């Protein structure tokens, strides 16, 4: 028997999935999510197996984590399908050192157009017109206006009374999640007779878990109980080394600060929610630190380090605990109680 979808579990505690930014390291996230879904679906007939948008009420991510979130919620891919797409994206575009910002951005747009066609989607469809396709699973993806990259605005597939938000097309949303300058150009979007430029949100934030929980509180109601917040990292990393230039050197320094901010978010949330047992954080501790934009992607090495992490006894037990949380959907604290803390950032 398949797991109940968010549409029929409105009286049960919520389940949230948060995906960090991390470039090609997103492969590690999808490997971890694949193991979780395997255990959730074990013993279930193939036609009844659940996808992430069947299991989670809210899925959110930033940067490449936002790209993956859109694949899972809006395009409706299984984890295996998303992994296949993301590996191709990583090898041909994200880790291709022969591309400059203009050619990398153009190649990204072409890739996304072809991918959507393959999965029978129209890129011109808007996120908020596709709620039925996403099985009522809510999407939250922070991005940034190029003129103010230190604050985020949220792409969602639902309306909110707290902010008007941005109703991007599927194509615009997928492209924008990947556009980290100076490695990519920005995307120009025309809204209300104004032309605005947007880039990936991971120049302001790399771990969106707290942000997603706060927005979810506004979307579904502060009284709803939280049963599980699953946060997937991309491998603990130091400052990413990038090719030398004034713009990129500034980006390197900024990313170093974001790494420290992300680690602080994890520590704070574990301190506030860890004892409740509903915050589950998975992040490969060792082995992915050197995999940055200036290094050659070794896909086998990345997968091997993630597989080793997943076979650790303590990690495996926590995955089983997470599976139980997602099946039982019982909560002991409301979103309002858990969302009172907000990391020291400006949200619009």
């Amino acid at each position: 028997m398949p797991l109940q979808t968010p549409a029929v579990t409105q009286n049960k505690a919520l389940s949230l999935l948060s995906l960090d930014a991390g470039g090609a390291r997103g492969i590690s996230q999808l490997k971890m999510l694949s193991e979780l879904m395997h255990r959730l679906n074990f013993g279930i007939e193939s036609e009844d197996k659940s996808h992430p948008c069947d299991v989670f009420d809210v899925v959110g991510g930033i940067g490449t984590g936002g790209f993956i979130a859109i694949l899972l919620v809006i395009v409706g891919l299984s984890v295996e399908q998303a992994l296949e797409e993301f590996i191709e994206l990583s090898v041909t575009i994200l880790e291709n050192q022969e591309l400059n910002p203009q050619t990398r951005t153009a190649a990204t747009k072409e890739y996304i157009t072809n991918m959507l066609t393959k999965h029978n989607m129209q890129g011109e469809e808007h996120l908020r017109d596709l709620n039925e396709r996403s099985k009522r699973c809510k999407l939250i993806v922070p991005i940034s206006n190029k003129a103010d990259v230190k604050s985020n605005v949220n792409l969602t597939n639902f309306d909110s009374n707290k902010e008007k938000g941005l109703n991007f097309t599927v194509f615009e949303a997928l492209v924008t999640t990947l556009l980290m300058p100076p490695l990519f150009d920005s995307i120009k979007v025309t809204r209300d007779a104004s032309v605005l430029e947007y880039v990936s949100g991971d120049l302001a934030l790399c771990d969106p878990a707290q942000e997603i929980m706060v927005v979810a509180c506004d979307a579904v109601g502060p009284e709803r109980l939280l049963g599980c917040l699953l946060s997937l990292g991309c491998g603990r990393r130091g400052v990413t080394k990038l090719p030398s230039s004034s713009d990129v050197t500034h980006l390197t320094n900024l990313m170093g600060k974001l790494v420290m901010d992300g680690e602080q978010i994890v520590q704070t949330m574990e301190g506030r929610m860890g004892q409740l047992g509903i915050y589950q954080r998975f992040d490969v501790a060792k082995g992915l630190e050197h995999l940055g934009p200036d290094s050659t992607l070794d896909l086998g090495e990345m997968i091997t380090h993630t597989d080793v992490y997943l076979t650790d006894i303590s990690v495996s037990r926590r995955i089983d605990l997470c599976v139980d949380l997602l099946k039982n959907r019982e909560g002991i604290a409301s979103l309002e109680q858990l969302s009172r803390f907000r990391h020291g950032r400006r949200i619009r």
Side-chain angles (χ1 to χ4, degrees):
M1 181 178 179
L3 295 172
Q4 291 179 309
T5 66
V8 296
T9 56
Q10 295 180 2
N11 295 323
K12 290 181 176 281
L14 294 167
S15 58
L16 277 59
L17 171 61
S18 172
L19 300 160
D20 286 13
R25 294 179 183 86
I27 293 171
S28 179
Q29 285 176 321
L30 285 165
K31 287 289 293 180
M32 290 186 285
L33 185 58
S34 177
E35 177 64 23
L36 176 77
M37 294 304 300
H38 169 72
R39 299 190 192 191
L40 270 169
N41 284 317
F42 185 75
I44 298 175
E45 296 294 331
S46 296
E47 61 271 16
D48 291 331
K49 289 185 183 297
S50 297
H51 289 189
C53 62
D54 299 313
V55 175
F56 294 95
D57 299 279
V58 180
V59 176
I62 198 163
T64 50
F67 182 89
I68 293 170
I70 296 171
L71 293 186
L72 297 176
V73 177
I74 301 299
V75 186
L77 301 188
S78 67
V79 180
E80 288 70 26
Q81 289 173 316
L83 179 59
E84 179 181 347
E85 294 291 352
F86 195 76
I87 287 174
E88 183 177 350
L89 173 72
S90 298
V91 173
T92 60
I93 298 175
L94 299 183
E95 293 292 316
N96 188 341
Q97 299 301 306
E98 297 181 358
L99 299 176
N100 60 38
Q102 292 75 33
T103 57
R104 180 177 285 109
T105 302
T108 299
K109 292 179 178 180
E110 181 180 4
Y111 170 80
I112 289 173
T113 297
N114 293 336
M115 180 195 67
L116 290 174
T117 300
K118 180 170 68 175
H119 294 289
N120 301 313
M121 282 208 69
Q122 299 295 322
E124 295 78 17
E125 294 180 281
H126 288 80
L127 294 178
R128 294 182 189 170
D129 297 334
L130 296 166
N131 199 25
E132 290 299 326
R133 182 183 176 107
S134 58
K135 301 180 182 179
R136 301 190 184 278
C137 176
K138 297 187 183 301
L139 174 77
I140 301 171
V141 176
I143 62 170
S144 294
N145 188 312
K146 186 180 179 181
D148 185 13
V149 298
K150 292 184 179 180
S151 63
N152 288 330
V153 292
N154 295 306
L155 299 179
T156 67
N157 63 341
F158 58 89
D159 294 317
S160 171
N161 63 348
K162 293 294 181 68
E163 60 176 346
K164 183 178 180 180
L166 301 169
N167 190 17
F168 273 29
T169 66
V170 178
F171 175 82
E172 291 170 340
L174 283 166
V175 171
T176 306
T177 60
L178 302 174
L179 301 184
M180 175 185 279
L183 302 178
F184 290 85
D185 287 338
S186 59
I187 186 172
K188 295 182 179 180
V189 178
T190 302
R191 292 291 184 274
D192 300 326
S194 299
V195 178
L196 301 175
E197 293 186 65
Y198 290 95
V199 295
S200 168
D202 51 348
L203 288 175
L205 183 68
C206 66
D207 180 350
Q210 179 66 27
E211 175 96 347
I212 291 167
M213 191 166 62
V214 170
V215 178
C217 180
D218 295 335
V220 302
E223 73 286 349
R224 289 293 300 273
L225 298 180
L226 179 63
C228 178
L229 171 52
L230 172 60
S231 175
L232 297 180
C234 292
R236 296 177 187 173
R237 55 181 179 172
V239 176
T240 303
K241 183 181 178 182
L242 295 167
S244 177
S245 77
S246 59
D247 288 341
V248 176
T249 299
H250 174 71
L251 175 60
T252 301
N253 295 333
L254 177 59
M255 290 177 69
K257 181 179 182 301
L258 292 174
V259 168
M260 291 186 288
D261 287 348
E263 292 173 350
Q264 182 61 49
I265 290 174
V266 172
Q267 293 172 7
T268 300
M269 295 191 71
E270 286 180 341
R272 290 176 59 87
M273 301 172 61
Q275 291 184 343
L276 300 176
I278 57 177
Y279 174 66
Q280 299 294 322
R281 171 76 174 179
F282 295 93
D283 195 11
V284 178
K286 296 180 180 179
L288 305 186
E289 301 91 339
H290 65 286
L291 296 176
D294 66 332
S295 63
T296 302
L297 174 66
D298 188 329
L299 177 59
E301 183 180 359
M302 182 182 297
I303 292 175
T304 296
H305 283 300
T306 305
D307 286 341
V308 169
Y309 172 77
L310 291 171
T311 57
D312 181 87
I313 293 176
S314 63
V315 173
S316 182
R317 287 174 177 170
R318 289 197 297 115
I319 294 175
D320 285 337
L321 173 60
C322 191
V323 168
D324 289 340
L325 291 173
L326 292 170
K327 286 183 176 180
N328 296 331
R329 299 176 70 88
E330 297 175 352
I332 58 175
S334 69
L335 286 173
E336 181 179 29
Q337 292 171 314
L338 297 170
S339 300
R340 286 173 182 167
F341 169 79
R342 302 185 73 169
H343 196 62
R345 299 179 53 258
R346 177 159 52 97
I347 309 297
R348 298 189 305 182

